[in-house]
Amino acid sequence: MGNHQDDTRTAYDGVVELYASLFANRLETQPFSRAMIGTFAELVRATGNPQAADVGCGPGHLTAMLHELGLDAFGLDLAPGMVDHARQAHPALRFQEARMESLPIEDGALGGVLAHYSMIHTPPGKLPELLSEQVRVLAPDGLLLVSFFGTDGQEPVRFNHKVAPAYSWPVDSLAELLADAGLDPFARLLHDPASERGFLDAHLLARRS
């Protein structure tokens, strides 16, 4: 995964305080995202395994939300500055530096994985490898919630994200990648955030087969 990961880590380490301040409201102004995360947490609890990883957790605001929703949640992020901030902001929760394609988690250990706009910087050709790693750590019937920028086209679109280069995805194409990785995508939500980029906000909820 090499260079794009290193570049992304450096970019996010440079905007820790600004990024954290922008997302301090923890989705109070984003009802659709909040609803999907609530549904995800409810379904993870129903599996009987409340262990959940917030991968690409950033400043830890959604890790804390998952904890409040009844999950034994912990956060992982490749940027050490984000991990340090998350630990200070949420001292009762666990945070660790880690790459999404090499998670420090045993096979089949988790009831859920949340990837909230944290896969958007991964080049399309590398995404199957990354998804396979998320599947590896999920228990049977465990759930993955992926949130991302959606596009109406036929191919992923590279764009200049404010922090690091990123990709938007046709929702059907990303759902196919989830299925190829061994997941059953069973719910999706698309909505228009009135973004100047013209992308949809997209959420896919999938269960490990």
Side-chain angles (χ1 to χ4, degrees):
M1 289 259 172
N3 292 336
H4 91 273
Q5 290 281 36
D6 295 337
D7 292 345
T8 301
R9 178 183 60 209
T10 300
Y12 274 95
D13 266 343
V15 295
V16 172
E17 296 304 323
L18 174 61
Y19 190 89
S21 68
L22 290 173
F23 294 99
N25 64 15
R26 287 165 51 186
L27 304 186
E28 276 87 349
T29 61
Q30 300 180 47
F32 293 111
S33 292
R34 193 168 65 246
M36 285 299 283
I37 290 175
T39 299
F40 165 79
E42 180 177 347
L43 293 175
V44 172
R45 292 197 309 269
T47 70
N49 180 355
Q51 294 283 329
D54 178 9
V55 294
C57 66
H61 56 301
L62 296 186
T63 315
M65 179 180 291
L66 293 178
H67 175 75
E68 293 171 2
L69 290 169
L71 300 184
D72 184 4
F74 59 96
L76 303 170
D77 201 279
L78 83 167
M82 288 291 184
V83 172
D84 288 344
H85 181 96
R87 287 171 173 166
Q88 294 176 27
H90 309 285
L93 301 180
R94 296 171 289 150
F95 297 95
Q96 183 177 345
E97 185 179 346
R99 293 176 179 252
M100 292 178 68
E101 77 280 6
S102 182
L103 298 174
I105 302 169
E106 295 182 359
D107 294 358
L110 302 182
V113 171
L114 174 67
H116 190 78
Y117 295 92
S118 54
M119 296 184 180
I120 62 172
H121 303 294
T122 303
K126 300 289 187 180
L127 197 57
E129 176 187 350
L130 190 148
L131 289 171
S132 293
E133 180 68 354
Q134 316 313 301
V135 173
R136 179 188 68 79
V137 301
L138 282 173
D141 295 325
L143 294 127
L144 171 67
L145 175 59
V146 181
S147 299
F148 58 100
F149 295 109
T151 181
D152 291 329
Q154 300 299 313
E155 300 291 337
V157 176
R158 188 180 189 273
F159 67 95
N160 291 321
H161 184 273
K162 292 180 180 179
V163 180
Y167 299 84
S168 66
W169 275 84
V171 178
D172 287 342
S173 296
L174 190 52
E176 288 177 6
L177 288 185
L178 294 176
D180 290 343
L183 295 160
D184 175 23
F186 64 91
R188 63 177 66 184
L189 174 62
L190 310 176
H191 59 98
D192 185 352
S195 167
E196 68 275 8
R197 301 189 191 100
F199 299 135
L200 298 172
D201 276 337
H203 312 270
L204 281 172
L205 187 55
R207 181 179 286 108
R208 181 176 175 181
S209 304

